[in-house]
């Protein structure tokens, strides 16, 4: 409600109802929250996009559209993925993306092709998931009975990422 006065006296009918709408989306002033930088391959990451106008008000009507993508350090198809961003109203948007390739990635959230949060990309690290039966033996096994033989196993996850830390047990018979 807005109270209007003239020379300190309320005018007739005051207070008046008033509706204030947010201004246009300010991509530089909009940002992300509930964001993590260490992920596991194949597990969905969720985050919140906070849409703001140039005055810092939540951009809560007219629903600007956002897009999310991750660009990996590999050149094959699964390294670059897109996710979804859904309007939760009130200037809040739920984002989700699943990355399958381990390594370093840059996460981009855009509106009409412009990066939010003053043009900042977010850097994330994706770790391999659990050891898979798709692990491989590194060399052909040509052994002589009764003599020791060395061979190597490259542990991989379900998405063909090489495991670089322990986590699986293998036995040979």
């Amino acid at each position: 409600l807005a109270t209007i006065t003239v020379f300190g006296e309320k005018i007739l009918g005051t207070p008046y109802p008033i509706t204030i709408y947010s201004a246009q989306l300010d991509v530089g002033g909009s940002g992300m929250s509930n964001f993590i930088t260490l992920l596991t391959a194949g597990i969905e990451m969720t985050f919140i996009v906070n849409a703001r106008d140039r005055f810092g008000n939540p951009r809560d009507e007219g629903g600007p559209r956002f897009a999310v993508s991750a660009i990996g350090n590999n050149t094959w198809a699964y390294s670059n993925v897109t996710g979804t961003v859904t309007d939760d109203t009130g200037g809040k948007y739920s984002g989700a993306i699943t990355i399958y390739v381990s390594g370093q990635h840059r996460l981009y959230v855009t509106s009409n092709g412009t990066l939010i949060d003053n043009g900042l990309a977010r850097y994330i690290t994706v770790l391999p998931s659990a050891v898979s039966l798709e692990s491989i033996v590194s060399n052909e096994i040509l052994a002589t009975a009764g003599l020791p033989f060395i061979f190597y196993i490259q542990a991989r996850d379900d998405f063909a990422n090489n495991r670089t830390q322990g986590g699986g047990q293998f036995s040979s018979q």
Side-chain angles (χ1 to χ4, degrees):
L1 293 177
T3 301
I4 301 173
T5 62
V6 175
F7 303 114
E9 297 292 324
K10 293 182 186 178
I11 66 169
L12 187 63
T14 200
Y16 291 98
I18 185 168
T19 303
I20 300 173
Y21 296 100
S22 60
Q24 293 295 324
L25 177 70
D26 176 22
V27 291
S30 298
M32 293 172 53
S33 60
N34 295 0
F35 173 81
I36 56 174
T37 59
L38 185 62
L39 312 173
T40 300
I43 297 178
E44 182 180 74
M45 175 186 79
T46 60
F47 54 91
I48 301 294
V49 174
N50 300 295
R52 303 273 180 216
D53 69 11
R54 64 190 174 120
F55 304 105
N57 299 311
R59 182 69 174 98
D60 54 358
E61 64 280 323
R65 296 186 185 270
F66 293 96
V68 60
S69 62
I71 308 298
N73 55 358
N74 295 307
T75 56
W76 59 298
Y78 290 114
S79 182
N80 303 327
V81 296
T82 58
T84 59
V85 181
T86 306
D87 189 350
D88 293 339
T89 70
K92 299 264 187 219
Y93 292 74
S94 296
I97 192 165
T98 304
I99 302 172
Y100 299 95
V101 177
S102 63
Q104 300 296 312
H105 296 264
R106 293 177 314 277
L107 186 74
Y108 298 100
V109 177
T110 60
S111 181
N112 293 324
T114 303
L115 281 172
I116 68 167
D117 208 5
N118 291 315
L120 294 177
R122 306 298 173 126
Y123 292 88
I124 55 178
T125 301
V126 179
L127 301 174
S129 63
V131 173
S132 166
L133 294 177
E134 299 297 319
S135 299
I136 58 171
V137 175
S138 64
N139 54 315
E140 186 178 1
I141 299 175
L142 298 172
T144 304
L147 297 177
F149 180 79
I150 296 175
F151 62 96
Y152 301 94
I153 298 173
Q154 175 58 65
R156 291 190 171 168
D157 68 12
D158 287 329
F159 310 106
N161 295 305
N162 289 339
R163 294 276 307 184
T164 56
Q165 297 177 346
Q169 275 190 326
F170 297 90
S171 62
S172 64
Q173 297 179 7

